[in-house]
Amino acid sequence: MKYTKHFKFKERPSKTTERQKSVIKLDNLFSEYIRLRDCDDNGMITCITCGHKQHWTHAQCGHYMKRINASTRYDLQNCAAQCSTCNCGNDGLQDEHGKAIDRMYGEGTAEKLQRLSKQERHYSEPELQEMIEEVKKEIKALRQEKFGI
């Protein structure tokens, strides 16, 4: 005997809070900002860890100290454009990323970011909204500066 009864499960309502939606939005905008910041006037980035060149729209925002660490999640020195192979496939190549940070910002910067990442940080919804608006302005300025749009 064939089992023919089909169960239809009700879709659960989304439990994503407004704060979580703001974090996602800020993450996306921040990633765009970092990739634009790190690209040249032709829109090309050089991966911070392997040197691979690609268009900024195909690159990712690599974090030296992982995004789970809220205190360094949006730190400009902690983030750089990275190819997807290094960022995802090679788990960010943290050692190479740290060395590159020290070359760019001075010896000991990577160590400072490691210490900072251990500090607890919680962004309020108003703080997130303020950061979103600030990053939007910065993106607009970078697009104008680099591409005239």
Side-chain angles (χ1 to χ4, degrees), residues 76-128:
L76 296 175
Q77 292 181 338
N78 187 54
C79 300
Q82 215 173 19
C83 70
S84 61
T85 302
C86 288
N87 194 34
C88 296
N90 293 325
D91 199 30
L93 291 175
Q94 190 175 30
D95 289 342
E96 286 82 357
H97 199 154
K99 290 174 188 171
I101 286 172
D102 281 346
R103 284 192 301 275
M104 290 168 55
Y105 300 110
E107 195 67 34
T109 305
E111 189 178 319
K112 178 193 87 167
L113 288 167
Q114 288 174 10
R115 285 192 307 274
L116 181 61
S117 73
K118 292 174 180 27
Q119 295 178 9
E120 197 168 314
R121 177 72 165 97
H122 179 81
Y123 294 100
S124 68
E125 176 64 20
E127 285 177 306
L128 291 168

Side-chain angles (χ1 to χ4, degrees), residues 13-59:
S14 175
K15 292 184 179 184
T16 307
T17 66
E18 288 306 310
R19 187 183 171 288
Q20 288 169 323
K21 289 176 186 175
S22 294
V23 168
I24 292 166
K25 185 172 186 173
L26 181 56
D27 282 350
N28 290 332
L29 289 167
F30 187 76
S31 172
E32 182 178 353
Y33 171 78
I34 293 297
R35 292 176 292 126
L36 280 168
R37 177 197 72 182
D38 292 355
C39 77
D40 62 20
D41 292 343
N42 295 317
M44 300 300 286
I45 66 99
T46 302
C47 176
I48 191 169
T49 48
C50 75
H52 175 74
K53 293 189 180 297
Q54 67 183 135
H55 196 265
W56 75 270
T57 57
H58 299 289

